[in-house]
Amino acid sequence: ETGVTQTPRHLVMGMTNKKSLKCEQHLGHNAMYWYKQSAKKPLELMFVYNFKEQTENNSVPSRFSPECPNSSHLFLHLHTLQPEDSALYLCASSIWEGQPQHFGDGTRLSIL
Amino acid sequence: SQQGEEDPQALSIQEGENATMNCSYKTSINNLQWYRQNSGRGLVHLILIRSNEREKHSGRLRVTLDTSKKSSSLLITASRAADTASYFCATEGGSGGSNYKLTFGKGTLLTVNP
């Protein structure tokens, strides 16, 4: 139990579908992150939210749309994805930016 | 761009032996962190060492940092089968852009055989 919960754990979707990934933390943290983990590549930072404000968009394609309604919840809205978007998507949180991060167990996304 | 790079890519040892993993990076940093990832799970933070520190201990873990060589090492003593996982170093700050951004390496896969 890491304190960061991601749902769903697995998702299979077609290229024309729209789906959302959810991340929830009740650790009292103020910063939340989305990462993409692909086989044989380093973990890639996608987005950072600090006190609900986006502070980093690491040149992520617009087919990925993040939403942070409050400090405890983070969403990643997906639409018109490509096969190369298949990966493990990890959410993390920290008390604030720069502090050690707590990760969820990820959503394994497969694009058909 | 990749900052931390772990070496070796894979390491296989017997239970009870020590395991050493290395990390090299390219630009100045604020701190360096080590994380562990078990198969199918998220990353777990192990230890953080600041740029003005040279060595840090946590239980069976020992981390060193040499800023002149831009390198760090993670030593796990008296390894156990449960230590089998991928280990990642992550550097924070110093390379432009967001000063708090963590940049991860590709990791070292450690296998501890019973």
Side-chain angles (χ1 to χ4, degrees), chain A residues 29-75:
Chain A
H29 290 171
N30 300 298
M32 295 189 78
Y33 313 79
W34 279 117
Y35 288 90
K36 176 183 179 183
Q37 187 175 35
S38 306
K40 300 184 179 179
K41 291 176 72 174
L43 201 63
E44 299 172 58
L45 178 66
M46 300 174 73
F47 302 103
V48 181
Y49 278 81
N50 200 31
F51 291 93
K52 301 189 297 178
E53 299 297 320
Q54 189 179 117
T55 56
E56 180 86 19
N57 177 338
N58 200 22
S59 302
V60 180
S62 59
R63 57 186 184 269
F64 295 91
S65 174
E67 179 190 0
C68 188
N70 54 61
S71 292
S72 298
H73 294 87
L74 186 64
F75 295 89

Side-chain angles (χ1 to χ4, degrees), chain B residues 6-86:
Chain B
E6 294 89 345
D7 170 61
Q9 291 187 353
L11 179 61
S12 182
I13 60 174
Q14 296 300 122
E15 212 166 19
E17 294 180 341
N18 295 342
T20 299
M21 288 159 270
N22 302 297
C23 172
S24 59
Y25 57 93
K26 296 183 174 66
T27 62
S28 62
I29 60 172
N30 295 329
N31 66 62
L32 186 145
Q33 303 178 31
W34 285 92
Y35 288 79
R36 183 189 77 229
Q37 184 179 32
N38 291 86
S39 181
R41 304 297 299 274
L43 280 73
V44 174
H45 179 261
L46 296 176
I47 199 162
L48 180 154
I49 186 164
R50 302 189 190 287
S51 59
N52 61 352
E53 296 176 307
R54 291 296 167 260
E55 188 170 312
K56 209 160 181 183
H57 297 254
S58 177
R60 293 184 297 114
L61 306 182
R62 173 178 168 252
V63 169
T64 61
L65 179 64
D66 186 334
T67 52
S68 66
K69 294 181 179 178
K70 292 187 171 55
S71 68
S72 173
S73 67
L74 170 67
L75 169 68
I76 303 174
T77 60
S79 63
R80 306 166 182 167
D83 294 328
T84 294
S86 291

Side-chain angles (χ1 to χ4, degrees), chain A:
Chain A
E1 180 59 51
T2 67
V4 179
T5 303
Q6 290 188 244
T7 54
R9 290 296 311 278
H10 302 273
L11 179 61
V12 179
M13 56 188 285
M15 289 165 52
T16 58
N17 291 158
K18 288 184 180 181
K19 295 285 185 184
S20 295
L21 310 185
K22 180 182 176 183
C23 176
E24 186 173 352
Q25 60 90 8
H26 295 289
L27 299 169
H29 290 171
N30 300 298
M32 295 189 78
Y33 313 79
W34 279 117
Y35 288 90
K36 176 183 179 183
Q37 187 175 35
S38 306
K40 300 184 179 179
K41 291 176 72 174
L43 201 63
E44 299 172 58
L45 178 66
M46 300 174 73
F47 302 103
V48 181
Y49 278 81
N50 200 31
F51 291 93
K52 301 189 297 178
E53 299 297 320
Q54 189 179 117
T55 56
E56 180 86 19
N57 177 338
N58 200 22
S59 302
V60 180
S62 59
R63 57 186 184 269
F64 295 91
S65 174
E67 179 190 0
C68 188
N70 54 61
S71 292
S72 298
H73 294 87
L74 186 64
F75 295 89
L76 188 62
H77 304 298
L78 317 170
H79 64 97
T80 325
L81 294 193
Q82 305 299 308
E84 62 265 28
D85 297 324
S86 296
L88 181 67
Y89 289 84
L90 291 163
C91 172
S93 70
S94 63
I95 184 71
W96 49 73
E97 284 191 83
Q99 294 301 303
Q101 295 179 19
H102 295 244
F103 283 78
D105 285 335
T107 295
R108 174 68 62 186
L109 177 64
S110 298
I111 306 300
L112 301 179

